[in-house]
Amino acid sequence: MSKVLLIDDDVELVDMLKEYLEQEKFEVNVAYDGETGAAEALTGQYAIAVLDVMMPRLNGVDTLRRIRARSSMPVVMLTAKGDDTDRIIGLELGADDYVPKPCTPREIAARIRAILRRATAESSEQSPYSPLSVGALSMWPEQRRATWAGHPLELTSSEFNLLEVLARNAGKPVSKQHLSEQGLGRPLARFDRNIDVHLSSIRQKIAALGSDKSCIQTVYRLGYQFIKE
């Protein structure tokens, strides 16, 4: 049973989500403010957190920042409908996905399942001792571990999934639709910029490890490509 942490001060929404997720066989705990939620998330006992942006004591963005400073656990952000600023900031800070409010419990459950399915999927082609290697990149899918030129590459769950898809298709363009389906576990939605923001974050993390060129290139009207050295 996967354990889910709901961090939101909307009591009515939280009660509805909790009831639905428990019916769907999730174990659920609740925090009604950001400080409590961040502390609870960092206990290491949860598979995923669902985090609202607007909260007392510590807002969702700062809560996510606090979580990401010490943990790569998957996080789904709840944002105001149409608020691109909060959504993009959340993704840049390492959120794995976002859901605009108002939302249904069924949609939240679907997003949670998609992320957890990708986060826990075992690679049928690679063993923990035989990494997926492309140039300076090495990935151990079963261990959810990656390095760049021997240095640890700290990735969120969604970032890891997307980079793995690109690495497995190194030298070939990969469409955003395929990346969304294989990396995020869902079809690409209209006007969805999640993939763009995630890949921008990956580029920045690789650059911070000393790479002077981008290994991930945008292919006009096709998608993205991992450059095979």
Side-chain angles (χ1 to χ4, degrees):
M1 181 182 292
S2 297
K3 195 166 185 179
V4 179
L5 176 63
L6 301 179
I7 310 174
D8 195 328
D9 65 324
D10 186 335
V11 176
E12 184 176 351
L13 175 62
V14 165
D15 287 345
M16 180 174 62
L17 289 176
K18 186 174 187 294
E19 181 179 359
Y20 184 88
L21 291 173
E22 288 176 340
Q23 290 175 354
E24 294 295 305
K25 308 304 181 185
F26 291 101
E27 184 179 351
V28 182
N29 198 13
V30 176
Y32 294 101
D33 65 81
E35 287 190 359
T36 303
E40 189 67 22
L42 292 172
T43 61
Q45 59 181 306
Y46 297 95
I48 192 169
V50 178
L51 172 63
D52 186 31
V53 170
M54 299 299 294
M55 286 187 302
R57 298 182 65 185
L58 194 68
N59 65 42
V61 171
D62 289 335
T63 300
L64 176 62
R65 186 179 286 111
R66 188 174 293 185
I67 292 172
R68 278 290 168 262
R70 295 173 50 193
S71 172
S72 60
M73 71 177 294
V75 176
V76 178
M77 297 287 287
L78 299 180
T79 65
K81 189 175 182 64
D83 194 336
D84 289 341
T85 301
D86 284 340
R87 174 172 60 84
I88 293 173
I89 289 175
L91 291 172
E92 288 177 339
L93 287 174
D96 293 273
D97 205 349
Y98 79 97
V99 179
K101 287 184 174 181
C103 55
T104 65
R106 183 177 181 181
E107 181 176 9
I108 295 291
R111 298 292 182 95
I112 289 173
R113 283 201 182 91
I115 291 172
L116 294 181
R117 184 166 57 245
R118 288 295 307 173
T120 59
E122 292 185 353
S123 170
S124 60
E125 301 178 15
Q126 301 288 327
S127 77
Y129 306 104
S130 178
L132 167 63
S133 296
V134 184
L137 174 69
S138 294
M139 304 184 77
W140 291 263
E142 291 186 1
Q143 298 175 339
R144 308 294 293 174
R145 183 168 67 89
T147 63
W148 182 266
H151 301 287
L153 181 58
E154 301 296 337
L155 302 169
T156 68
S157 176
S158 291
E159 289 170 356
F160 190 98
N161 296 338
L162 291 170
L163 185 56
E164 181 185 352
V165 175
L166 287 173
R168 290 190 183 281
N169 293 276
K172 299 182 294 183
V174 182
S175 70
K176 291 176 68 173
Q177 180 67 44
H178 185 77
L179 281 168
S180 186
E181 290 174 350
Q182 298 299 312
L184 303 181
R186 58 181 174 81
L188 183 69
R190 191 180 182 188
F191 307 124
D192 190 341
R193 291 194 57 214
N194 281 21
I195 290 172
D196 306 304
V197 177
H198 284 312
L199 294 183
S200 175
S201 175
I202 294 171
R203 285 167 169 158
Q204 292 174 22
K205 290 178 179 181
I206 290 175
L209 294 177
S211 176
D212 58 357
K213 60 181 179 179
S214 176
C215 61
I216 301 173
Q217 291 190 354
T218 302
V219 182
Y220 183 61
R221 291 188 175 180
L222 290 177
Y224 289 93
Q225 178 176 331
F226 192 97
I227 303 303
K228 193 173 184 179
E229 298 179 356

